Amino acid sequence: MPFRLRFPRLPGRGVASVAGGGRPPRGLTLGAAAACIFIVQLDFYALSLALPSMAAELRSSTTDLQWVISGYILAQAAFLIPGGKLGDILGRRRILVGGLAIFGMGSLGAGLGSDPSLVIAFRVVQGMGSGIVYPLAFAVITEAFPGRRAKRAIGNAYGIGAVALALGPLIGGGATELVSWRSVLLMNVPLCLVAIVAAIVWLPESRDPTVSRRIDLVGLVVVVLGIVAITVAADRMNAWRPVVATAVAVGGIVLLAAFVLRERTTESPLVRLDLFHGAKFVAVTLLGLVANIALVVMIFATTIHLQQVRGYSPFIAGLAVCIASISGGVASPFAGRLSEWVAVRRLIAVAILVGALGLLVVAFGGDIWPYLISLAVAGFGYRIGFTVTTLGTQAMVPAERAGEVSGVTLSILFAGSGVAVAAAGTLIEQGDLADGVMRVLLGVAAGSAVAAVLLARLPRST
């Protein structure tokens, strides 16, 4: 007998009333959802700068504590799809609040941990919470804002998230230097409490009344293990023998293929595969994957270049990376408005070409000011591509399926970027460091431009 978890059908239509009998103002809804995105994004880069201090206090090595970052990303990627699905079934506000609580408890445990294994374990818990929160924050925005207004609202939310990305390296470096690495984690606890209160008060409850109340537990385990295997293989590519890393990656691919086959036959699929029947959805998702890979690899490679080639301190390198994040923050609301008038696929393709042009200049190094200006141009273009992908795919389906679509899209984008960063690290380490960085950045600039042109020209028929 198939293993499925069945939830009772909850009363109400697609949207349930909030306490007090009415829907809160949409501006407050956007603010509450954006606060959730802000917390998750703030944590993304902040802890990286704290790893050396953490390793020294915990009597470990920075290399071993890399799992503090990798374990978090792994758990986040694995729970994006289940988080969106559970929100569609049980209520997006309810599950989002639960995700915030998990994120906060993971932060508290990691911040108080006295053993490397304990810190890593709680960081995995924290990643699970972020994987649940992230897709549902965008799903509640899509449900609250009708039609074209959803695109503008998601763009504004991404702008707020990009501000958090910009502040992350500064807060992480500053808090570690002035207080302790623990403060970087513990600051999430009061932020989560504020976000939970805002979500309860200002987010309307919503769910998908058409989706089955059952959760396919076998499919859930298979997809999580598949994502875990591929992410671990990507992360440990340099530490393991090639044959071992390849075997783990192939095993992950086989598991994901088995997941797709199961979703085609099971009565209660975790992901309804009709999402991928349309060429437009597939093309937009692939364009977003190209944009996000380029953005993440660019930040990864330029951080190495600024510190280990140009000799800047981690804090100064963080300031430089902020330029790309700030330009991305400007890009996100701009993208939301522009997408109301320009076809989504065309807009993403043009944005990627702009990013590739900026990255091409960055790849050749040169004086610091042209380098930083080009970094800002690249961040602006690629961030528009990433933002428009999310709001574009959300607009292609009914609002009731927002959680499912958000989880699927973000899972593809994040998992693909994780693999790309691991591959970029391997290429950079081969030979001279400066040449390795240039090769990677040139390859990303050229590859993203070619992919954008090809994907933009795909047939538009379904």
Side-chain angles (χ1 to χ4, degrees):
M1 185 164 181
F3 292 93
R4 296 190 185 92
L5 183 61
R6 182 179 178 86
F7 296 99
R9 187 170 292 277
L10 299 173
R13 301 166 58 191
V15 180
S17 297
V18 295
R23 178 188 288 273
R26 289 193 175 97
L28 295 179
T29 296
L30 176 60
C36 300
I37 297 167
F38 183 91
I39 292 171
V40 173
Q41 296 281 65
L42 183 67
D43 183 80
F44 191 78
Y45 288 129
L47 201 62
S48 297
L49 295 172
L51 284 182
S53 298
M54 186 186 302
E57 181 175 329
L58 297 178
R59 297 179 180 178
S60 181
S61 67
T62 303
T63 302
D64 290 339
L65 279 181
Q66 182 62 33
W67 276 100
V68 168
I69 306 298
S70 300
Y72 176 92
I73 295 175
L74 178 121
Q76 183 187 53
F79 276 81
L80 285 166
I81 293 177
K85 181 70 171 182
L86 286 172
D88 286 346
I89 293 176
L90 297 177
R92 297 178 185 121
R93 181 182 65 184
R94 179 183 288 115
I95 300 302
L96 187 148
V97 168
L100 285 170
I102 293 171
F103 186 86
M105 288 187 292
S107 300
L108 179 63
L112 298 177
S114 57
D115 178 79
S117 299
L118 192 62
V119 174
I120 291 171
F122 275 109
R123 278 288 288 175
V124 169
V125 173
Q126 192 182 355
M128 293 166 55
S130 70
I132 294 170
V133 169
Y134 205 74
L136 292 179
F138 291 108
V140 296
I141 295 173
T142 298
E143 193 285 322
F145 289 83
R148 289 185 172 183
R149 296 180 64 185
K151 294 182 177 181
R152 182 175 298 188
I154 291 175
N156 290 334
Y158 263 126
I160 294 172
V163 172
L165 284 176
L167 293 176
L170 301 181
I171 291 177
T176 299
E177 185 174 344
L178 297 176
V179 186
S180 165
W181 63 267
R182 298 182 185 275
S183 64
V184 180
L185 291 161
L186 294 176
M187 74 172 67
N188 288 326
V189 178
L191 292 176
C192 282
L193 291 175
V194 172
I196 287 172
V197 173
I200 293 173
V201 175
W202 291 331
L203 293 183
E205 186 59 285
S206 65
R207 60 183 63 88
D208 184 354
T210 67
V211 74
S212 171
R213 301 297 100 182
R214 296 177 177 178
I215 283 285
D216 178 16
L217 292 181
V218 173
L220 176 59
V221 171
V222 170
V223 71
V224 168
L225 289 179
I227 294 175
V228 165
I230 293 174
T231 308
V232 168
D235 180 74
R236 307 303 292 172
M237 188 179 298
N238 292 327
W240 291 347
R241 289 186 298 173
V243 65
V244 175
T246 301
V248 173
V250 170
I253 293 172
V254 171
L255 285 172
L256 293 183
F259 170 72
V260 172
L261 292 176
R262 179 173 178 81
E263 296 306 280
R264 295 182 63 180
T265 58
T266 186
E267 295 179 2
S268 305
L270 194 63
V271 176
R272 287 175 278 185
L273 297 180
D274 61 322
L275 285 175
F276 300 97
H277 290 172
K280 184 178 180 182
F281 180 88
V282 173
V284 168
T285 302
L286 291 176
L287 280 166
L289 177 60
V290 170
N292 197 48
I293 285 176
L295 180 65
V296 173
V297 171
M298 177 188 75
I299 292 175
F300 171 75
T302 53
T303 300
I304 293 175
H305 183 256
L306 287 166
Q307 293 185 60
Q308 299 185 29
V309 177
R310 289 182 178 254
Y312 294 112
S313 69
F315 185 71
I316 297 300
L319 284 173
V321 171
C322 280
I323 293 178
S325 298
I326 291 170
S327 67
V330 174
S332 296
F334 175 73
R337 288 161 175 77
L338 192 58
S339 66
E340 298 177 11
W341 310 105
V342 181
V344 167
R345 199 194 308 191
R346 184 180 304 167
L347 178 57
I348 299 174
V350 171
I352 290 174
L353 291 175
V354 171
L357 181 62
L359 188 57
L360 185 65
V361 179
V362 172
F364 287 105
D367 294 336
I368 189 63
W369 285 112
Y371 183 96
L372 295 178
I373 293 171
S374 301
L375 194 62
V377 171
F380 182 87
Y382 288 133
R383 188 71 187 184
I384 284 183
F386 176 80
T387 302
V388 175
T389 298
T390 302
L391 57 88
T393 52
Q394 292 274 292
M396 294 178 193
V397 298
E400 291 82 4
R401 298 184 66 179
E404 175 191 3
V405 172
S406 181
V408 170
T409 304
L410 292 172
S411 183
I412 292 171
L413 268 55
F414 288 178
S417 299
V419 174
V421 167
T426 301
L427 292 173
I428 288 174
E429 290 177 353
Q430 295 177 357
D432 181 74
L433 192 62
D435 290 341
V437 170
M438 186 177 73
R439 284 196 305 269
V440 165
L441 293 179
L442 284 176
V444 169
S448 63
V450 171
V453 172
L454 294 176
L455 289 170
R457 296 174 63 86
L458 282 178
R460 297 181 179 272
S461 59
T462 56

